[in-house]
Amino acid sequence: MVSATEIKRGTVIKMDGELYLVVDYQHVTPGNWRGMVQAKLKSLKQGSVVQKRFRSTDKVEDVFLDHRVMEYLYKDGDNYCFMDTENYEQVLLPKEAVEDAMPYMTLNSQAKIAFYEGKAISIELPTSVILKIIETDPGMKGDTVVNVYKPAKMETGLVVKVPLFINNGERIKVDTRTGEFLGRE
């Protein structure tokens, strides 16, 4: 059990017999009331998002997760096949567990996957990834203004706003937390 004030984004907690991922949290101290934590929790079983308010004295059950580095191999229907890089064991992960991360995953890319009692529950990406642009409007000579953006479709289907001077076929760095363009490779 940990104090509610110790939870942070990405933490998995157990409430009412169900696992929840902390999507967002905010420590609030309104006026002369006692401090509290306002948290946005995503149910790992149903996928629904709920708002929950904890008093600073509340305790929540912290869950021990087994993290493994795995490599994305292929898509099989509604499942995604990942391979453990240590023992080469292949695991099919359901779409619900990894759907938020898939726009940033190319074939053979690696990510940390969290397991609870042998079942994959979430995926943790690096803070930035390198993706190739497959479709965007062509850049013109003299398009060097940085604060004007155009949409560009990546090899994974993700659409990112990029500066005007970026062309098809270029590889760019994308922030996985916000989906924003960070620069050329």
Side-chain angles (χ1 to χ4, degrees):
M1 300 289 263
V2 295
S3 171
T5 57
E6 295 176 22
I7 65 172
K8 59 183 188 280
R9 190 169 185 237
T11 304
V12 176
I13 60 173
K14 192 172 190 178
M15 274 184 354
D16 306 324
E18 197 172 332
L19 295 178
Y20 290 91
L21 175 69
V22 178
V23 177
D24 195 22
Y25 75 100
Q26 184 176 7
H27 191 83
V28 182
T29 51
N32 59 357
W33 291 3
R34 297 201 185 275
M36 61 184 100
V37 175
Q38 181 79 27
K40 187 185 284 188
L41 307 171
K42 181 179 180 182
S43 169
L44 294 175
K45 185 177 182 181
Q46 300 166 343
S48 59
V49 177
V50 295
Q51 294 277 347
K52 179 79 174 156
R53 184 177 292 167
F54 298 100
R55 294 179 300 206
S56 57
T57 57
D58 287 349
K59 299 278 185 196
V60 293
E61 187 177 343
D62 193 19
V63 177
F64 174 74
L65 299 175
D66 178 28
H67 292 276
R68 290 190 246 165
V69 176
M70 300 191 89
E71 185 175 317
Y72 172 50
L73 297 179
Y74 60 89
K75 182 178 180 185
D76 182 24
D78 278 348
N79 297 316
Y80 295 90
C81 184
F82 284 81
M83 177 183 68
D84 192 327
T85 55
E86 289 182 16
N87 61 12
Y88 305 108
E89 174 186 330
Q90 291 186 10
V91 179
L92 284 175
L93 302 180
K95 179 182 177 183
E96 298 79 32
V98 296
E99 67 183 333
D100 295 340
M102 292 320 293
Y104 303 101
M105 299 285 297
T106 58
L107 292 177
N108 302 320
S109 58
Q110 294 186 345
K112 269 170 79 174
I113 302 199
F115 288 85
Y116 177 70
E117 295 179 348
K119 184 180 177 210
I121 58 168
S122 67
I123 185 167
E124 187 178 320
L125 293 170
T127 55
S128 65
V129 292
I130 306 290
L131 296 174
K132 183 178 179 181
I133 297 174
I134 59 165
E135 184 182 318
T136 189
D137 295 335
M140 302 279 234
K141 187 171 183 165
D143 282 341
T144 56
V145 178
V146 179
N147 61 353
V148 179
Y149 294 95
K150 63 182 179 181
K153 188 174 183 182
M154 304 293 117
E155 59 192 315
T156 60
L158 177 71
V159 176
V160 177
K161 296 223 178 266
V162 298
L164 294 174
F165 57 84
I166 302 291
N167 294 312
N168 284 340
E170 289 192 48
R171 295 174 58 80
I172 61 168
K173 189 183 269 192
V174 179
D175 189 326
T176 58
R177 298 165 295 189
T178 61
E180 294 177 349
F181 169 81
L182 293 177
R184 287 181 170 153
E185 178 187 8

